[in-house]
Amino acid sequence: MHYQPTVLITDDDHNILAAFEDFFRRENCSVIGVTSAEEALHKLESHHVDLLVTDVRLKLQSGVTLLLHAKAILPKLPVIVVTGYPDLITETDAKMYGANYFFLKPLELDKLREAVRTCLHMNGKS
Amino acid sequence: MKKPTVLVVDDDPKILFAFREVLRKDGYKTVLARDGQEALKKISAEHPGLVFMDITMPKVDGLEVLKQMKTQDERMPVVIITGYGTMQTAIKAIQLGAFEYLTKPLDVGKIRAVTREALASTRRTSPTAGRHGQYHGDMADRYELIGRSAPMQEVYKLIGSISTTPNHTSILILGESGTGKELVARAIHNAGPNAHKPFVPIDCTALPEPLLESELFGHEKGAFTGAGERKLGKFEIAQEGTIFLDEIGNLSPHLQQKLLRVLQEREFERLGGNTAIRVGARFVCATNHDIELEMKNGNFREDLFFRLKVVTVNLPPLRERNDDSSHLANYFLMKYNRQLKKSVTGFSDEAMAFLRTYPYPGNVRELENLIERAVMLTKGDVILPDALREPVLDTSVRSPSLPILSEDFAKSRIKLLQMFERQFVSELLRKYHGNVTAAAKGSRMTRQNFQRLMSKHDIKAKSFRD
Ligand SMILES: Nc1ncnc2c1ncn2[C@@H]1O[C@H](COP(=O)(O)OP(=O)(O)O)[C@@H](O)[C@H]1O
Ligand SMILES: [Mg+2]
């Protein structure tokens, strides 16, 4: 059977979350969508996840807290950080905190698709 | 498919045996080592896919071994096990690149889950964002956070990750009053590479706006009436250290706007001056959760809020980590024995049961005050319930008003309800000496419902049995 990778998406905007979910289903991924960093951490502890996609700007704990936490428990988990607020965090910072890719909203889907494939590829192989 | 080899390092043969049994059932080959030197040898000989290692071992310290393992093979996951779970070891283990940090007692399910996770992780190859922090913990002992509960372990791990971020990463600490926000700020400071630089705490409620402004920004000679000499502000005094802004929710709109600019530009001018001065310090701010409400009501700038909380630490209230209250109580007992030159040795069982179940609306600060007072009052060897209960009961008799924990009605109601449930269940169990059936009957609840409340609040009947 073909392996279906699991993507955990964190965005507190339900519309964006839904759009993400569609996108990843078309990429043949199984999707877990959550709206807060707390829920995301909970899922990371209870589910196997192949890729984490998170917005920076979330209620209470931010996406960066989630990223730092995720990298502390799963150092090799690929993470894609997305933000609509370039002045909150730069690409350099995001990468230093351990993000593999950094994208600004509105998203360029081709670039996102390419990044996702690279992340999931390095996840499965070697 | 051949399953990978797992190395287990512990000086306790019982633990080694237990691991071997669990892992063998799952089909892994296990290699065992009794100390760090043996472990390093076995790594070169057997190339295990995963290591479980106890941190307290004779000869070489586990953290030192971890460091050496990581220089040999950076990608090999090492899971650190500890019997104590102190703040410093957790922070340091994560900084040194431990995959996970587990506290004893270990359960089989957890071992299995971590094994799976860790082995899955090495199949991935990504450029590791190496964490090359260094724990400068020696000077930190005075500010050690006490508590081994699961939520506090998460806080320690997060402090470990945060301490390696650069100073321009701001941090927001959220938690009710008395949960230890300032201690966490100090821990972040002490764990980072700039621990030897100043830690500068400022309470935003302590001064009226104009004074606070000149405290923070400093002023040039003659900037305003009364400004005699040039004065350096806290932003400058902190150098590359840490500025801790407590109660940030109380900052005036004017200062909110100025602070936002400082965070964006990383520079500022002294009052009455026009030379831009670089800010090298890290900003750590603290507030209770109500800052969100303040934002909704238009009293706190949204853009500042989101900039401050790029990294957030949530400190759970003490009543949600009841296991910690006994550790904290013993810690404060020692502290006040020393300070008050007393030699109280401990708590009676009943006093401890009370401490473990009291809901602490004032969190750790309240517990600390309670113990200080009890140590003062106690003439004998052990602290009895009376020495603790009196101030608590007193306040509830004198002021029938309930503690309002949040302005948000719904939140407040939930919190008070939880406090009530917890106290109610504990009181009844105390009365019926831990007999659940009798307590349920006394409360005219079904046994199931009563037990549901007990497990919801993690209340154990046995702590009430004599
Ligand atoms: N985990 C802890 N371990 C030891 N002492 C603590 C802990 N948490 C809080 N305290 C003590 O409780 C008091 C209140 O802590 P503080 O950091 O000022 O809380 P907050 O800033 O959240 O109001 C201080 O005396 C502090 O030393
Ligand atoms: Mg405080």
Side-chain angles (χ1 to χ4, degrees):
Chain A
M1 204 191 80
H2 198 267
Y3 177 66
Q4 197 182 27
T6 303
V7 181
L8 174 62
I9 306 165
T10 316
D11 200 311
D12 59 355
D13 182 330
H14 287 274
N15 294 323
I16 295 183
L17 195 59
F20 263 129
E21 289 180 357
D22 284 345
F23 172 86
F24 279 100
R25 292 220 172 86
R26 278 198 304 276
E27 286 294 301
N28 269 320
C29 296
S30 128
V31 181
I32 308 174
V34 294
T35 55
S36 73
E38 294 74 22
E39 285 170 277
L41 278 169
H42 199 73
K43 294 287 182 205
L44 279 179
E45 278 165 11
S46 53
H47 290 67
H48 174 80
V49 172
D50 295 286
L51 169 65
L52 170 67
V53 180
T54 180
D55 191 1
V56 170
R57 199 173 145 155
L58 302 168
K59 286 186 76 184
L60 238 56
Q61 305 204 45
S62 85
V64 176
T65 312
L66 172 60
L67 168 63
L68 289 170
H69 238 129
K71 285 282 168 180
I73 51 175
L74 300 167
K76 306 288 165 64
L77 174 74
V79 181
I80 297 178
V81 170
V82 184
T83 184
Y85 301 85
D87 70 320
L88 281 186
I89 177 176
T90 64
E91 174 158 8
T92 326
D93 285 345
K95 293 209 163 147
M96 203 191 46
Y97 306 148
N100 300 70
Y101 289 93
F102 177 83
F103 293 111
L104 286 176
K105 291 179 187 174
L107 287 166
E108 293 179 58
L109 288 188
D110 286 343
K111 288 200 176 140
L112 178 65
R113 187 173 296 114
E114 206 175 305
V116 168
R117 287 183 184 163
T118 318
C119 285
L120 292 176
H121 188 71
M122 72 191 190
N123 207 343
K125 295 273 168 65
S126 105
Chain B
M1 197 188 90
K2 192 172 159 284
K3 286 236 186 175
T5 302
V6 180
L7 170 66
V8 186
V9 194
D10 202 310
D11 56 334
D12 182 350
K14 287 194 296 295
I15 300 271
L16 292 179
F17 179 75
F19 265 99
R20 165 164 275 176
E21 287 305 295
V22 172
L23 295 170
R24 187 169 54 201
K25 276 202 196 103
D26 292 353
Y28 298 104
K29 181 185 170 197
T30 44
V31 179
L32 307 177
R34 297 283 295 271
D35 60 54
Q37 276 154 1
E38 203 182 332
L40 289 168
K41 273 190 217 132
K42 298 246 156 113
I43 287 177
S44 347
E46 308 269 350
H47 300 290
L50 166 65
V51 180
F52 282 96
M53 179 167 62
D54 187 7
I55 210 159
T56 35
M57 291 183 300
K59 295 192 205 161
V60 198
D61 169 59
L63 287 175
E64 190 49 41
V65 182
L66 169 63
K67 210 165 161 186
Q68 290 179 32
M69 286 176 176
K70 285 282 154 181
T71 41
Q72 270 186 26
D73 178 0
E74 206 216 340
R75 288 181 42 206
M76 180 178 61
V78 181
V79 178
I80 292 294
I81 305 164
T82 168
Y84 305 107
T86 65
M87 174 185 86
Q88 268 125 347
T89 43
I91 293 177
K92 190 153 183 192
I94 294 295
Q95 283 181 337
L96 289 173
F99 177 77
E100 200 18 310
Y101 175 87
L102 302 177
T103 41
K104 289 177 188 172
L106 297 169
D107 69 272
V108 175
K110 187 86 196 167
I111 294 175
R112 289 216 168 97
V114 172
T115 305
R116 265 197 314 273
E117 282 291 354
L119 290 171
S121 81
T122 41
R123 280 187 277 113
R124 306 165 185 165
T125 55
S126 73
T128 40
R131 277 187 297 265
H132 297 296
Q134 240 206 336
Y135 191 65
H136 301 266
D138 308 344
M139 56 176 97
D141 290 352
R142 203 149 67 85
Y143 299 112
E144 166 113 31
L145 284 152
I146 307 298
R148 302 165 190 179
S149 59
M152 285 310 285
Q153 298 292 340
E154 292 305 312
V155 169
Y156 302 156
K157 286 188 224 171
L158 186 58
I159 293 173
S161 314
I162 287 173
S163 64
T164 63
T165 63
N167 271 5
H168 68 252
T169 303
S170 303
I171 291 152
L172 182 63
I173 306 172
L174 299 174
E176 290 175 13
S177 170
T179 45
K181 295 187 290 295
E182 178 158 355
L183 277 189
V184 168
R186 286 187 189 273
I188 292 168
H189 176 78
N190 288 331
N194 293 316
H196 55 288
K197 297 279 165 120
F199 176 89
V200 182
I202 301 141
D203 183 343
C204 298
T205 55
L207 296 170
E209 183 192 287
L211 283 181
L212 181 60
E213 183 171 12
S214 87
E215 271 298 299
L216 296 175
F217 290 82
H219 57 72
E220 297 292 350
K221 185 172 173 172
F224 47 83
T225 355
E229 288 305 306
R230 164 194 278 182
K231 181 174 167 250
L232 297 189
K234 302 284 192 196
F235 293 166
E236 256 172 290
I237 291 170
Q239 303 168 48
E240 283 75 43
T242 302
I243 296 165
F244 175 59
L245 295 177
D246 203 358
E247 311 284 359
I248 188 81
N250 292 63
L251 213 58
S252 68
H254 169 64
L255 285 181
Q256 286 178 36
Q257 196 230 320
K258 286 194 78 170
L259 178 61
L260 178 65
R261 221 205 105 215
V262 174
L263 292 173
Q264 279 167 343
E265 321 279 329
R266 297 292 295 172
E267 59 182 37
F268 71 98
E269 286 109 44
R270 294 188 196 112
L271 301 183
N274 48 22
T275 2
I277 299 163
R278 295 287 309 154
V279 179
R282 183 199 293 281
F283 283 84
V284 179
C285 302
T287 180
N288 51 20
H289 293 332
D290 285 349
I291 193 165
E292 269 191 289
L293 193 76
E294 292 296 315
M295 210 171 65
K296 278 194 209 106
N297 296 341
N299 300 328
F300 201 86
R301 293 179 72 113
E302 201 187 13
D303 46 6
L304 178 59
F305 175 65
F306 281 101
R307 179 164 278 282
L308 290 176
K309 71 168 197 109
V310 166
V311 174
T312 339
V313 180
N314 261 303
L315 270 179
L318 185 55
R319 62 186 167 279
E320 284 171 20
R321 45 183 166 110
N322 253 23
D323 281 355
D324 286 344
S325 40
S326 52
H327 290 134
L328 283 162
N330 282 313
Y331 171 78
F332 291 132
L333 175 65
M334 289 195 305
K335 175 172 167 183
Y336 287 104
N337 264 335
R338 225 179 303 126
Q339 258 183 38
L340 304 169
K341 303 210 166 30
K342 303 268 288 193
S343 46
V344 182
T345 55
F347 301 88
S348 77
D349 289 351
E350 222 186 313
M352 194 40 107
F354 171 81
L355 288 172
R356 288 181 58 85
T357 48
Y358 179 67
Y360 301 103
N363 293 296
V364 183
R365 182 177 290 116
E366 183 177 4
L367 172 59
E368 178 167 2
N369 295 341
L370 219 59
I371 305 292
E372 179 181 5
R373 185 174 177 281
V375 172
M376 218 146 58
L377 291 178
T378 299
K379 303 256 163 17
D381 248 10
V382 293
I383 291 176
L384 299 172
D386 282 352
L388 297 168
R389 247 181 254 162
E390 207 183 314
V392 178
L393 288 182
D394 256 10
T395 52
S396 61
V397 169
R398 252 188 256 125
S399 72
S401 72
L402 293 164
I404 301 302
L405 302 165
S406 154
E407 241 173 77
D408 183 321
F409 175 71
K411 269 196 210 163
S412 207
R413 181 167 62 184
I414 291 170
K415 282 188 182 163
L416 277 173
L417 187 62
Q418 285 180 344
M419 282 166 58
F420 161 75
E421 287 176 356
R422 181 185 283 280
Q423 214 165 353
F424 183 84
V425 171
S426 314
E427 286 296 335
L428 270 170
L429 282 171
R430 191 167 299 128
K431 180 166 173 206
Y432 291 98
H433 303 284
N435 181 335
V436 180
T437 313
K441 209 163 166 191
S443 69
R444 302 175 63 183
M445 287 168 80
T446 63
R447 197 186 140 94
Q448 279 103 315
N449 278 342
F450 195 84
Q451 271 178 325
R452 197 178 45 79
L453 279 184
M454 284 172 62
S455 60
K456 176 173 167 192
H457 297 288
D458 198 21
I459 296 172
K460 306 266 188 299
K462 70 169 186 294
S463 32
F464 297 93
R465 298 200 182 116
D466 328 281

